[in-house]
Amino acid sequence: MAEMLIKNGFVFDPINRINGEKMDIAIKDGKIVGSVNERRAKKIDATGLTVMPGGVDIHTHIAGAEVNTGRLMRPEDHVKDVVRKTPLTRSGVGYSIPSTFVTGYRYSKMGYTTIMNPSMPPLEAKHTHEELNDTPMLDKASYPLLGDWWFVLEYLRKGDLTECARYVAWMMGTSKGYAIKIVNPGGLESWGFGRNVHSIDDEVPNFCITPREIMCGLAKVNKMLNLPHTIHLHTNNLGLPGNYATTLETMRALESVASGDKPVAHITHLQFSSFAGDGWGNMRSGAEEISKYINAHNHITFDMGQVIFTDTTTMTADGPFEYTLYELSGHKWVNTDIETETSGGIIPFHYKRNNAVNATQWSIALELALLIEDPWKMFLTTDHPNGGPFFAYPKIIAWLSSKKARMATLKKCHKKAQKKSLLPSITRELTLYDIAIVTRAGQAKALGLKEKGHLGVGADADIAIYNINPEKTDIARKYKTARRAFGNAAYTLKDGKVVVKDGEITQHVDGKTIWLDVQTAEQVKVDEEMKRRFKEYWTVEYDNYPVFDHYVKVPSPITVKADV
Amino acid sequence: MSIVKAVTCPVCGSLCDDIELTVENNEVVKVKNGCAMCESKYLGYKSEHRIRTPLVRKDGKFVPVSMDEAVHKAAEILANANYPILYGWSSTNCEAQRVGVELAEEVGGVLDNTAVVCHGPSILSVQEVGIPTCTLGQIRHRADLMLYWGCDPWSAHPRHLERYTSFTEGRFEDSAWKAYLQKVKAAAGKKKLVSAERLEFVKSRPRPQTQACTISGPPQTLKKDGRKLIVIDVRKSMTAEMADYFIQVEPNKDYEVMQAIRALVRDHELDVDKVGGIPVEYLEEVADALVNCNFGVIFFGMGLTQSAGKFRNIDVAISLIRDLNRRTKFAIMPMRGHFNVAGANIVSTWQSGYPYGVDFSLGYPRYNPGETTCMDVLLRGESDASLVIAADPGATFPKRAVEHMVKTPLIVIDPHMNATAMLADIVFPSAFVGIEVGGTAYRMDNVPLPLKKVVEPPAGILPDEEILKRILEEVRIIKAQKMAKQAEAA
Ligand code: SF4
Ligand SMILES: [Zn+2]
C-alpha cells in the first residue's frame, strides 16, 4: 500500500504530549510509522493547518432497533434535511436521526473516525450490527445493555461474582459488544411492571437487589474481566430535579470498587444527572457540587451530554425516564421493553432558549466541562441525539474554547436561566490541545483503544486535518472560524486513505466493527440445562440468539484475557 | 438423513424459531413443532410447479432464456424507466431488501412493501402518536390480560397464543391452558380426553365445545385470577371461541367502541345504552379489566387497520394505551402477517429514513403516503415499469392498479409462478427464503432472527439477493454506457 506523508502541520497529539508542534506524520499500510520514503510517499501539505488524531465519540446513538424506531416515527425530522445521491455516496436523510449512510458521511466530514454506539439490547444485537455494516467511514463498537439482565441480577443477588463475570464474558462475544452498559440500574426491570427505583438503595421488585449492588457488582466484574473500558453508566433518577444527590451517592458508592487512580466507571451524559432543586419550578444547576467532588476524585470519567437548542429526538433504554418526558410533553411516545434484558423509550424534544429548564440544562453541561479541571475526565458529547444532533459538535467546541461564544448564546437564553447560570463567572477557555483531549485522546484512553486517539508509531492512521492556523487564529476570539473548521475537515484520513477533502467525501470506506473476545479460564457451560433456562427466559432459541460472524462486514475483535 | 434444529419458520409474523426439520436427499420429509401452515410450507413447496430458468415474454408467450439475458433485459427496462416502482419485499430476507433499496435509489424509483395494503395505517399512527410496545417475551413473562382486536391468531398466527401469550408459562404469569381445558370440560358436561387433547394440542387445534361469552351472556370469567383473554371482532372467530370474554362489534364500528372504552378508562360516564351494538355494561366490564390488570396488551390486526376509519382506529387504540399507562402497564402490537414485512419496513427505514412508500425519483428519499406509495403511483397511472418481488399484487391490488401495472413492462422475482408472474414480461424464479436460502427476518415485535438454508435450491435457481445484485450491476453498466454516449454526442 502507498506510503503517505502529512507535511508541516501543527500537530496536536495529547497522548504523546505533542502540543501544536510543526512536524510531519508518516503513514504506511494504514498505520502511523516513524518515517517513509520521502520521494515515493504521497504528500499532503498541511502547512498552516491543524493536525489531530481522528475524532472518537464515546457515546452516540447511531444504530439499532431504538434509533431506527426513532427514524420511523419522525418523517417530519427528515423532510427538513434531505441528502442526495452522488456518484460516490448514497442518498438519505439527516437531522436528528440520520439514515445510516448519512451518519457515516457526516461524522467523517467533521474528522471523526471512531464512534461508540452505547445502547444495544443483546436480543436485538443483530439489528444493531446490520445497521453498523451500513454505516460507512467509521470504526464502531456497541455496548450491550446488561444492568437489568436477569442473569446479572440473579448472580449478583447470590453474590456469585465469578459466574456473573463468566456470563458477561459470554455475552460480550455473543452480542459482539465492547463494554458493559448500565442504564438506570434496577429501574428498567421495575419498569417491566410500570414502576421505577428512586434511589440507589431502592429494592428492585421480585429480585431483592439494589441499584448500588448492581453497579458495584458489575464494576467488580468489569475489573475481573480486564475489559478495556470501565462500566458505562447512566445513573438512576436521570433527568429529574435534585438528581445530583443521587449522582454524588453513586460516585461515592463506586469508591469502594476503586483502587489507585484507575477509573472504574464512566458516567455518561453527566448534564442529565446534575440537576439541583426539588421540582421543575426551582430546578437549577448542580454542577458546582458535582465538579467539586470530581476534582477531588479520579475513579470515574464522564461525558457532557450537551444540550443544543433545536428540535431533536430523545431515546434511551431508560423507559421510565422517557415516560416522564411523555407526561411532561404529551408528545408522541414510543416505549419498547425487551424481555429479560432492558427497556427503551423515545420522545421528540425541542430544546428552547426561552425555556428556563432547557436553558439551564444547556448551561449545566458547559459549567461541568469547564469546572472539571482535568480534561482527561470529561469528554465532549451531546448523547446524540438526546441533547442534540452530533453535527452540532463544532458549536460546542466554540462554547468551550471561547467565553465570547458562550456568552453570546447565554445572552439569548431565558432570563431566569441567565441569572442562575455559573457561566459568567467562569473564565476558562479550552485550548486546541484541550479540544484534542475532549474530542479524541481522552475518549480513546477511557475506552482503552490503544491504536486510536493518537498519532504515535503503531496507531491507526485515522487523522483529521482542520483549517486552523494556531499561529494566526486565536480560537477564543475567532470562534466562528473554529466552528467552520471543525465542521468541515480539510482532510479526514481513515486507515491512511483520504476519505474527506475540503468537507466533501472523496471515497467510500466501510470501517471496522470492534468487539471483545473475552477469554475466561472457565467458560459458561452450554449444556441442556443452560438451553432450558434460556428457553424459559427468552422467546428465541439459544442457537438463534448469537450475533454470528457473518453479521459483521469488517470484523475487528480484540482478545481480552480475564482473571477468572 | 439429517435433523436440523432451531429452524425459523418463514411463514407468518410469529416467526417461530424452534422448528425441527428432518431432511433426506435434499428434501424436507418431516416437520416437528410447526403449525399446519408451517408444515404445509415445508412439505408442500416442492410440489409447487417450479420453472427452472428465467422466462421472457415474446409475442405474448413465455420463452425460457438464460440468466444473463433476463438480467440484461430487466436492467434495460429499469435503467430506461423514468418512474419505476419496486414493490413487494415482505417474504424475502433483509439481505435482499438491502439491495432493493440500493436498486430503487439507483433507478430513481418508488420503493414500497406490502405494508401499503396491511399495516400502513399502523405506521401512520406511530408517526402521529408513537407506540408503547415490547417484545413478545415481555408479554409471556408478565401479561395477565391479552386483548386481540380485529384479528384471529388461532387461524392466522396459529402458535401465537401458545408461544407468546395466553398458553405459555412466564416468570410472573402461568399458562391459562389448564383453565381453558377445564372450561372446555365443564362446558361439554362430560369428561373429555384432556390429556389426549393436550398431547394433540399443537397439531389438532381443539375446537372448543363451549358457548364462549358473547354479547348475550354476561362475562363471569373476567373476574378470574391469572391470564385473561378478551377478543373483540366482527365475527366469532376461532380465537373468540377460546376467549374468556368475546365482544362482537358491528362491522365498521370499531372506532366508536374503542372511543367508548377509552372514555370509560378515563372515568367518563357514557349516556347511551349501546355502542356499536354492544351494551355499555359490557364495555364497562372490559374497561375495568383493562385498568385492573398488572400488565395488559392489545394485539390488533387488519380487522382494525382495514375497516372504516383505518389509521384513526389505530390512533385511538394507541391513545387508549397511552391513557392506560397512567393506570397500569400496557402495551400494543400489530399482528404482522408476512414473516418479514417488519424487516422490509426496518431495512427501508435505516437506509432511507422511511418505512414504505419511498420515492427516489428526485435523487433523495421522499415519503408522503397518499402520494408516494406504489398504490398512489399506480392509481394515478404514472409509473412506466414495475419490479415485483416476494409478493403477489396481481392477486391483492385493486383492479385499476393492476391494469396499469400490466400496461407497462413488468418484472417478477418469485419462487412461485403466482398471479403477478403470469402477467409479467420477465420472470425470475428464485430460491425459497428460509428453506433454500438463509438470511435474516424480523419478527412482529422487531426481534431479528436468522433464517436457515436447509436444502439446496434446484440447479440454476438463485436467491433474490443474488438476482437483484446482478440487475443492479447491469443497470450501472447500462447507465454508464448511456452517459458515455451522451458525452460523445456532446
Ligand atoms: S405460527 Fe406462524 S411462524 Fe409459527 S409455525 Fe405457524 S406459520 Fe410458522
Ligand atoms: Zn445515551
Side-chain angles (χ1 to χ4, degrees):
Chain A
M1 201 175 154
E3 297 173 331
M4 199 182 275
L5 198 60
I6 300 172
K7 285 192 70 81
N8 224 12
F10 297 99
V11 175
F12 292 86
D13 179 8
I15 286 179
N16 295 306
R17 295 170 197 279
I18 296 171
N19 185 0
E21 253 171 69
K22 234 189 233 175
M23 57 191 283
D24 298 349
I25 303 285
I27 300 165
K28 194 182 172 186
D29 296 337
K31 295 275 182 187
I32 310 268
V33 291
S35 63
V36 288
N37 184 318
E38 271 260 20
R39 229 166 12 90
R40 264 209 320 259
K42 224 176 104 193
K43 284 165 212 71
I44 291 178
D45 180 8
T47 309
L49 304 179
T50 288
V51 179
M52 290 186 181
V56 179
D57 199 336
I58 198 166
H59 190 111
T60 173
H61 302 253
I62 59 152
E66 182 122 75
V67 175
N68 209 41
T69 305
R71 289 186 192 110
L72 181 142
M73 97 193 275
R74 298 214 63 195
E76 76 282 7
D77 184 84
H78 311 326
V79 287
K80 60 187 180 206
D81 187 7
V82 296
V83 178
R84 270 172 201 283
K85 169 181 162 26
T86 75
L88 284 178
T89 55
R90 297 284 304 270
S91 72
V93 293
Y95 223 71
S96 75
I97 7 167
S99 54
T100 52
F101 302 108
V102 173
T103 301
Y105 304 145
R106 290 203 168 159
Y107 260 114
S108 195
K109 286 180 187 190
M110 296 195 308
Y112 273 70
T113 47
T114 304
I115 63 89
M116 298 285 131
N117 187 47
S119 202
M120 175 167 76
L123 179 62
E124 298 173 336
K126 291 184 195 71
H127 184 166
T128 307
H129 287 286
E130 286 193 298
E131 285 197 20
L132 289 180
N133 288 340
D134 273 349
T135 308
M137 321 306 286
L138 304 166
D139 287 346
K140 46 246 161 181
S142 298
Y143 310 151
L145 289 150
L146 302 179
D148 288 71
W149 180 28
W150 286 357
F151 281 59
V152 162
L153 299 184
E154 285 164 1
Y155 285 117
L156 289 182
R157 163 86 191 113
K158 268 201 250 164
D160 193 344
L161 281 178
T162 309
E163 197 62 10
C164 185
R166 285 191 191 122
Y167 272 97
V168 169
W170 172 82
M171 191 55 114
M172 282 300 158
T174 299
S175 67
K176 295 207 169 16
Y178 187 78
I180 299 173
K181 177 75 183 293
I182 307 172
V183 172
N184 183 7
L188 309 191
E189 166 50 38
S190 311
W191 182 239
F193 282 117
R195 284 176 288 232
N196 197 359
V197 290
H198 303 286
S199 88
I200 67 168
D201 293 311
D202 262 15
E203 220 166 65
V204 183
N206 304 313
F207 285 85
C208 311
I209 191 167
T210 63
R212 179 194 297 272
E213 291 162 342
I214 299 172
M215 295 185 285
C216 293
L218 282 174
K220 285 179 199 153
V221 161
N222 202 95
K223 273 171 94 179
M224 292 159 76
L225 293 175
N226 294 321
L227 304 187
H229 188 33
T230 57
I231 59 166
H232 195 96
L233 177 64
H234 159 137
T235 59
N236 298 110
N237 285 332
L238 180 131
L240 301 179
N243 66 8
Y244 84 97
T246 310
T247 308
L248 283 173
E249 264 185 90
T250 302
M251 296 193 286
R252 284 191 200 109
L254 288 163
E255 284 175 26
S256 68
V257 189
S259 51
D261 271 354
K262 219 170 164 277
V264 292
H266 177 88
I267 292 184
T268 188
H269 35 70
L270 184 59
Q271 173 268 130
F272 289 105
S273 302
S274 305
F275 299 177
D278 44 29
W280 292 111
N282 67 0
M283 177 268 200
R284 57 182 177 80
S285 168
E288 207 153 16
E289 294 86 340
I290 295 273
S291 56
K292 209 167 113 199
Y293 177 91
I294 294 172
N295 285 334
H297 294 84
N298 292 323
H299 63 300
I300 309 182
T301 56
F302 307 85
D303 63 86
M304 293 169 75
Q306 176 66 50
V307 153
I308 304 295
F309 297 118
T310 189
D311 183 10
T312 190
T313 312
T314 68
M315 54 180 67
T316 152
D318 197 344
F321 165 63
E322 291 289 343
Y323 180 75
T324 312
L325 278 187
Y326 158 62
E327 292 256 277
L328 286 172
S329 69
H331 219 311
K332 52 184 172 186
W333 167 52
V334 166
N335 182 76
T336 47
D337 294 348
I338 315 286
E339 65 206 57
T340 316
E341 296 174 357
T342 181
S343 77
I346 312 172
I347 295 260
F349 203 89
H350 196 153
Y351 294 101
K352 297 187 177 113
R353 279 194 199 87
N354 57 11
N355 174 301
V357 170
N358 301 166
T360 302
Q361 284 183 273
W362 171 82
S363 182
I364 291 175
L366 292 173
E367 293 163 14
L368 286 165
L370 295 163
L371 291 175
I372 296 172
E373 287 151 9
D374 182 357
W376 294 95
K377 283 184 188 170
M378 176 68 153
F379 315 127
L380 188 156
T381 67
T382 56
D383 184 17
H384 164 84
N386 284 292
F390 64 80
F391 60 75
Y393 287 179
K395 277 191 192 169
I396 307 175
I397 292 177
W399 289 326
L400 290 175
S401 56
S402 160
K403 178 155 188 178
K404 196 168 127 195
R406 53 186 187 255
M407 292 314 286
T409 306
L410 183 65
K411 259 206 332 250
K412 290 186 252 167
C413 285
H414 192 281
K415 284 273 158 354
K416 224 164 115 189
Q418 277 194 46
K419 256 217 306 263
K420 286 190 288 188
S421 174
L422 306 176
L423 290 178
S425 66
I426 302 174
T427 53
R428 184 173 171 207
E429 290 175 330
L430 265 54
T431 62
L432 280 172
Y433 188 73
D434 295 332
I435 294 295
I437 297 171
V438 302
T439 55
R440 49 262 285 159
Q443 317 218 11
K445 186 175 167 224
L447 287 164
L449 286 170
K450 300 227 157 50
E451 285 151 26
K452 306 286 184 196
H454 73 103
L455 298 173
V457 171
D460 290 341
D462 294 352
I463 303 171
I465 306 178
Y466 298 110
N467 210 336
I468 299 175
N469 183 335
E471 279 179 353
K472 293 200 176 134
T473 310
D474 173 8
I475 57 168
R477 288 183 34 243
K478 297 260 184 202
Y479 65 87
K480 283 184 184 157
T481 309
R483 220 159 62 188
R484 253 195 315 276
F486 282 106
N488 296 283
Y491 293 90
T492 305
L493 277 75
K494 181 86 200 63
D495 297 311
K497 293 184 193 134
V498 175
V499 293
V500 169
K501 186 162 188 295
D502 300 326
E504 294 300 329
I505 303 290
T506 55
Q507 171 170 188
H508 179 112
V509 293
D510 279 327
K512 303 184 275 286
T513 299
I514 303 167
W515 79 89
L516 301 182
D517 171 14
V518 187
Q519 301 187 340
T520 47
E522 208 179 299
Q523 283 174 6
V524 164
K525 246 201 252 110
V526 182
D527 50 11
E528 286 310 307
E529 164 61 18
M530 157 80 170
K531 290 196 181 182
R532 190 194 52 74
R533 182 155 164 230
F534 198 92
K535 251 187 127 120
E536 260 173 40
Y537 282 23
W538 283 278
T539 50
V540 305
E541 297 288 306
Y542 174 84
D543 295 338
N544 291 328
Y545 187 81
V547 176
F548 306 108
D549 287 346
H550 71 260
Y551 277 100
V552 176
K553 202 165 172 186
V554 189
S556 179
I558 295 176
T559 305
V560 176
K561 274 242 168 314
D563 289 340
V564 288
Chain B
M1 195 185 85
S2 65
I3 290 179
V4 196
K5 289 187 176 176
V7 178
T8 304
C9 168
V11 179
C12 85
S14 297
L15 220 58
C16 306
D17 72 331
D18 61 342
I19 313 297
E20 220 179 284
L21 300 177
T22 309
V23 179
E24 226 177 83
N25 301 327
N26 201 40
E27 269 188 21
V28 178
V29 293
K30 205 173 137 207
V31 182
K32 220 176 116 188
N33 294 346
C35 70
M37 276 158 61
C38 164
E39 256 181 30
S40 79
K41 172 95 182 187
Y42 278 115
L43 300 176
Y45 83 96
K46 296 178 307 268
S47 59
E48 192 91 20
H49 169 67
R50 296 280 291 271
I51 39 168
R52 300 300 176 103
T53 65
L55 303 176
V56 168
R57 194 179 292 276
K58 285 180 183 156
D59 304 323
K61 278 217 178 79
F62 279 133
V63 282
V65 296
S66 72
M67 184 56 77
D68 285 349
E69 185 181 342
V71 164
H72 182 73
K73 283 223 150 73
E76 249 181 351
I77 292 172
L78 291 172
N80 292 324
N82 281 319
Y83 202 28
I85 59 173
L86 297 89
Y87 171 79
W89 311 105
S90 303
S91 298
T92 188
N93 56 22
C94 295
E95 289 73 8
Q97 291 162 353
R98 281 185 66 229
V99 186
V101 187
E102 196 169 356
L103 179 61
E105 183 191 273
E106 186 64 50
V107 300
V110 168
L111 178 80
D112 207 356
N113 54 62
T114 59
V116 71
V117 287
C118 55
H119 277 284
S122 319
I123 290 170
L124 294 180
S125 292
V126 172
Q127 292 168 343
E128 202 65 31
V129 286
I131 185 168
T133 187
C134 59
T135 64
L136 288 162
Q138 199 72 351
I139 293 161
R140 185 176 103 192
H141 288 303
R142 298 173 204 263
D144 57 346
L145 184 134
M146 340 273 167
L147 197 171
Y148 286 94
W149 196 314
C151 54
D152 180 15
W154 194 252
S155 313
H157 299 80
R159 295 181 71 209
H160 200 263
L161 290 144
E162 151 202 344
R163 271 175 65 82
Y164 309 121
T165 68
S166 303
F167 302 141
T168 165
E169 298 287 338
R171 185 174 189 132
F172 308 111
E173 282 295 329
D174 293 332
S175 166
W177 177 238
K178 266 197 206 129
Y180 165 66
L181 281 184
Q182 262 157 21
K183 192 168 112 191
V184 173
K185 232 164 64 174
K190 58 181 174 197
K191 286 197 184 92
K192 287 215 109 193
L193 295 171
V194 173
S195 56
E197 207 165 338
R198 197 173 160 74
L199 280 175
E200 283 294 296
F201 171 54
V202 174
K203 288 257 171 66
S204 66
R205 307 279 142 222
R207 189 178 241 286
Q209 315 275 299
T210 173
Q211 275 108 33
C213 305
T214 62
I215 298 173
S216 50
Q220 305 298 340
T221 38
L222 263 185
K223 303 251 171 357
K224 75 165 192 178
D225 283 339
R227 299 204 207 253
K228 299 178 191 70
L229 174 60
I230 302 177
V231 172
I232 301 183
D233 209 341
V234 291
R235 69 202 155 82
K236 192 169 183 186
S237 64
M238 289 292 280
T239 314
E241 300 264 8
M242 343 186 51
D244 295 308
Y245 196 32
F246 168 57
I247 284 187
Q248 191 159 9
V249 49
E250 287 173 4
N252 293 323
K253 287 286 194 278
D254 300 281
Y255 183 78
E256 286 79 354
V257 173
M258 188 94 66
Q259 281 289 29
I261 294 177
R262 195 174 168 214
L264 291 167
V265 165
R266 299 177 140 212
D267 295 326
H268 296 305
E269 296 279 319
L270 297 181
D271 44 358
V272 290
D273 300 337
K274 283 187 170 187
V275 180
I278 304 157
V280 166
E281 307 98 82
Y282 298 166
L283 294 181
E284 280 168 351
E285 291 267 359
V286 171
D288 278 350
L290 297 184
V291 169
N292 290 318
C293 72
N294 292 322
F295 186 125
V297 58
I298 294 185
F299 293 101
F300 63 97
M302 282 166 62
L304 208 53
T305 63
Q306 299 299 323
S307 80
K310 289 201 171 179
F311 95 95
R312 282 197 316 144
N313 293 347
I314 316 303
D315 266 14
V316 60
I318 296 176
S319 302
L320 170 64
I321 303 302
R322 283 158 60 111
D323 294 344
L324 280 164
N325 270 292
R326 298 228 152 93
R327 315 283 292 265
T328 180
K329 180 85 182 182
F330 237 98
I332 183 165
M333 196 184 297
M335 296 288 281
R336 308 302 302 263
H338 297 288
F339 75 89
N340 199 23
V341 60
N345 297 143
I346 285 170
V347 173
S348 174
T349 302
W350 89 54
Q351 291 209 357
S352 77
Y354 305 114
Y356 73 107
V358 193
D359 182 336
F360 286 99
S361 62
L362 297 180
Y364 58 85
R366 233 160 44 85
Y367 166 80
N368 183 20
E371 182 202 344
T372 62
T373 72
C374 74
M375 191 70 83
D376 303 318
V377 175
L378 285 172
L379 291 177
R380 288 199 305 270
E382 283 178 357
S383 59
D384 56 356
S386 311
L387 180 142
V388 171
I389 176 166
D392 194 9
T396 52
F397 273 22
K399 193 158 156 261
R400 210 149 55 82
V402 179
E403 273 168 11
H404 182 73
M405 187 185 284
V406 175
K407 252 193 260 163
T408 59
L410 172 61
I411 305 157
V412 169
I413 306 175
D414 210 285
H416 306 271
M417 198 62 204
N418 60 20
T420 316
M422 300 302 287
L423 302 169
D425 299 288
I426 304 177
V427 180
F428 290 90
S430 65
F432 274 97
V433 177
I435 305 177
E436 297 169 341
V437 53
T440 309
Y442 285 75
R443 203 164 68 179
M444 63 168 68
D445 56 353
N446 297 343
V447 169
L449 282 162
L451 301 162
K452 279 204 176 89
K453 172 178 177 170
V454 288
V455 299
E456 288 295 328
I461 294 206
L462 301 177
D464 294 327
E465 182 190 4
E466 189 63 37
I467 298 170
L468 290 164
K469 274 187 176 160
R470 289 207 192 177
I471 296 176
L472 175 60
E473 223 169 276
E474 190 70 15
V475 163
R476 289 195 168 133
I477 292 171
I478 294 171
K479 278 176 73 175
Q481 285 166 349
K482 251 169 81 178
M483 293 261 281
K485 258 198 208 130
Q486 273 165 5
E488 231 170 76

